């Protein structure tokens, strides 16, 4: 029994000693936090600190000749921590920042709904203020608890050109935050169109932050401690584009007061030299404090200048399609280089008439293309459909497959968003019009001259011409020429599409 009693006493002493040790550890830790550590001294004195986001410079863009197209300019936001708003003189504050009371109430209400229980976090109250504007406001802003300024950069453009190509940057919405979980938060900015959207991950950089101590008047009095917990921002990557900005600007001048698109591609590389959509707008309209107002005007413009017609505009290719059909016919063996067709003012067959203009006899493929003879290419289409296929439906299916090799009727894979695929009709389309099996090549013969239900984008037409220039292959059209860390992306543009 004495042995068991000794063991019991030993356990009791051990437990008591353990409790004393734990208690001493807590005492020492509290002493360190409250007396020794300078960070907490500052917090105890001022009772507040603020985590300030350091937004990185977005990557600049240069053209193929090294000319700066897009750069950054400092701008400011007025931030708010709704939890800290107390005894606010709303009217004087609204007068200071240049808004009315209704706007103030609506904005604060919306922010509180978005924040939920996170009302202690800063949110953007007013964005895109110039240095002059914020300088006037900041002198008195300390009088209004919960409000402070924060610097960020906005895009500026050296040329009033290439707006749809370059794209624009705007504040993230709920979908952006959801789809990029962990990176964006309310008030951040993101590329929404053009190059800005395609290469967002390269351009955006990485946010940093620093902890600042603020006094009772919401004024920054210094960094928290030695800044050991701060994080430096990392600037976005510099992009060099394939576009020639002088050529782009010149092409846009040619397209003034016109509605359409213009695309120039270097066939040997697939590099886009210019890509114009008209009507267009000055890209500087969608930066700065007037951005929201200008964006509203552009959205409501019936000419739809925000649309990139080069990528999404649907047009019948017309006579630009004739060289493509000639290549398809010669590949199939239904057309020879010295084949000629007469043109008595047009093509007449089975009750179908396709008019043509006056021109010399088209005695070869070269003369057929040179004279842009409608009758010639109606015959070429008819013979491709009938001579090489047992049924019209088989011919049209083959026709569609051949066009896909030229990047027609499919997306080319260009590194710009919102490209449309165009339309090359299927046999089912004509079954609906004429009835199943009740149509022939003559029923859709105007496909041979780039009409009927053949609808392409300007980019697809330019790419098809590149394919002919390269004697049967093309490189994926692209706008990125060089960027740090993008080697794997660039390699995909060096693969031939056969």
């Amino acid at each position: 029994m004495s042995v068991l009693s000794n063991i019991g006493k030993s356990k009791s002493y051990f437990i008591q000693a353990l409790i004393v040790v734990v208690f001493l550890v807590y005492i020492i830790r509290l002493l360190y936090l409250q007396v020794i550590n300078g960070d907490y001294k500052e917090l105890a004195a001022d009772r507040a600190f603020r985590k300030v986001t350091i937004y990185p410079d977005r990557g600049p863009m240069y053209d193929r000749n090294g000319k700066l197209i897009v750069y950054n300019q400092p701008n400011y936001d007025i931030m708010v921590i709704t939890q800290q708003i107390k005894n606010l003189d709303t009217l004087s504050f609204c007068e200071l920042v240049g808004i009315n009371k209704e706007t103030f109430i609506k904005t604060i209400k919306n922010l509180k709904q978005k924040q939920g229980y996170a009302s202690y976090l800063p949110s953007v109250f007013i964005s895109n203020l110039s240095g002059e504007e914020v300088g006037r406001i900041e002198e008195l802003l300390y009088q209004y608890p919960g409000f402070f300024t924060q610097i960020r950069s906005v895009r500026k453009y050296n040329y009033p050109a290439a707006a749809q190509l370059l794209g624009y940057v705007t504040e993230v919405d709920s979908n952006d935050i959801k789809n990029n979980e962990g990176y964006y938060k309310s008030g951040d900015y993101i590329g929404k169109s053009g190059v800005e959207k395609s290469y967002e991950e390269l351009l955006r950089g990485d946010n940093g932050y620093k902890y600042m101590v603020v006094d009772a008047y919401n004024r920054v009095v210094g960094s928290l401690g030695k800044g050991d917990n701060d994080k430096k921002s990392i600037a976005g990557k510099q992009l060099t584009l394939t576009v020639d900005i002088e050529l782009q600007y010149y092409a846009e001048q040619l397209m003034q007061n016109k509605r359409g698109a213009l695309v120039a591609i270097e066939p040997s590389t697939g590099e886009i030299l210019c890509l114009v959509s008209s009507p267009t707008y000055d890209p500087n309209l969608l930066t700065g404090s007037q951005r929201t107002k200008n964006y509203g005007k552009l959205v409501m413009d019936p000419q739809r200048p925000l649309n990139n017609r080069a990528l999404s505009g649907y047009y019948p290719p017309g006579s630009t399609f004739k060289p493509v059909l000639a290549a398809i016919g010669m590949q199939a063996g239904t057309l020879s280089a010295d084949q000629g067709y007469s043109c008595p003012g047009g093509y007449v067959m089975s009750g179908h008439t396709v008019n043509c203009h006056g021109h010399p006899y088209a005695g070869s493929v070269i003369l057929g293309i040179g004279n842009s003879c409608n009758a010639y290419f109606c015959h070429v289409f008819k013979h491709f459909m009938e001579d090489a296929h047992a049924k019209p439906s088989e011919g049209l299916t083959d026709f569609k497959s051949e066009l896909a090799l030229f990047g027609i009727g499919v997306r080319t894979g260009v590194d710009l968003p919102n490209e449309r695929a165009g339309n090359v009709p299927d046999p089912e389309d004509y079954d609906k019009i004429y009835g199943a099996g009740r149509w022939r090549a003559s029923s859709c013969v105007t496909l041979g001259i780039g009409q009927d239900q053949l609808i392409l984008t300007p980019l697809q037409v330019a790419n098809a011409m590149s394919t002919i220039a390269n004697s049967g292959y093309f490189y994926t059209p692209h706008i990125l020429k060089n960027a740090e860390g993008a080697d794997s992306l660039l390699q995909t543009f060096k693969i031939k599409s056969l």
Side-chain angles (χ1 to χ4, degrees), residues 208-377:
Y209 52 82
K210 59 183 178 181
Y211 292 94
M212 307 298 294
V213 178
V214 296
D215 62 16
Y217 295 100
N218 208 36
R219 295 175 297 195
V220 173
V221 296
S223 298
L224 178 63
K226 299 178 181 179
D228 294 337
N229 295 319
D230 296 349
K231 175 187 174 185
K232 291 184 178 180
S233 63
I234 300 174
K237 307 295 185 183
Q238 173 183 307
L239 301 190
T240 299
L241 306 183
T242 62
V243 68
D244 181 327
I245 194 61
E246 297 287 351
L247 177 64
Q248 176 78 22
Y249 181 71
Y250 176 68
E252 290 187 12
Q253 297 304 302
L254 294 178
M255 290 293 289
Q256 273 193 348
N257 302 317
K258 299 179 177 68
R259 187 171 178 173
L262 188 156
V263 181
I265 297 176
E266 170 52 59
S268 63
T269 61
E271 295 178 351
I272 296 173
L273 304 178
C274 73
L275 190 145
V276 176
S277 178
S278 183
T280 185
Y281 61 94
D282 184 341
N284 285 298
L285 290 175
L286 295 186
T287 64
S289 59
Q290 296 299 306
R291 183 203 171 278
T292 301
K293 179 181 177 181
N294 292 332
Y295 181 77
K297 289 181 179 179
L298 292 171
V299 168
M300 298 304 294
D301 190 329
Q303 296 296 316
R304 300 167 68 188
L306 289 172
N307 284 10
N308 192 336
R309 289 178 168 84
L311 302 179
S312 61
Y314 273 7
Y315 306 93
S319 293
T320 60
F321 181 71
K322 292 171 181 176
V324 176
L325 179 61
I328 291 174
M330 295 179 74
Q331 177 69 28
T334 58
L335 176 67
S336 60
D338 58 355
Q339 176 67 55
Y341 290 106
S342 61
C343 179
Y347 171 88
V348 180
M349 185 70 69
S350 302
H352 292 269
T353 301
V354 181
N355 293 325
C356 192
H357 56 281
H359 58 77
Y361 172 66
S364 66
V365 171
I366 291 176
L367 292 175
I369 294 173
N371 292 321
S372 191
C373 176
N374 287 343
Y376 190 97
F377 286 96

Side-chain angles (χ1 to χ4, degrees), residues 4-24:
L4 293 176
S5 177
N6 290 335
I7 293 174
K9 289 181 179 180
S10 298
K11 287 183 178 181
S12 177
Y13 292 147
F14 175 77
I15 293 172
Q16 291 176 13
L18 182 61
I19 292 173
V20 170
V21 170
V22 171
F23 182 74
L24 287 174

Side-chain angles (χ1 to χ4, degrees), residues 164 168 192-194 197-198 306-314 411 414-422 457 459:
Q164 297 98 336
Y168 62 88
K192 277 289 187 178
S193 67
K197 180 176 182 179
S198 292
L306 289 172
N307 284 10
N308 192 336
R309 289 178 168 84
L311 302 179
S312 61
Y314 273 7
R411 292 180 176 85
V414 65
D415 55 340
L416 289 169
N418 303 322
E419 180 191 14
R420 297 175 73 187
T457 67
L459 176 63

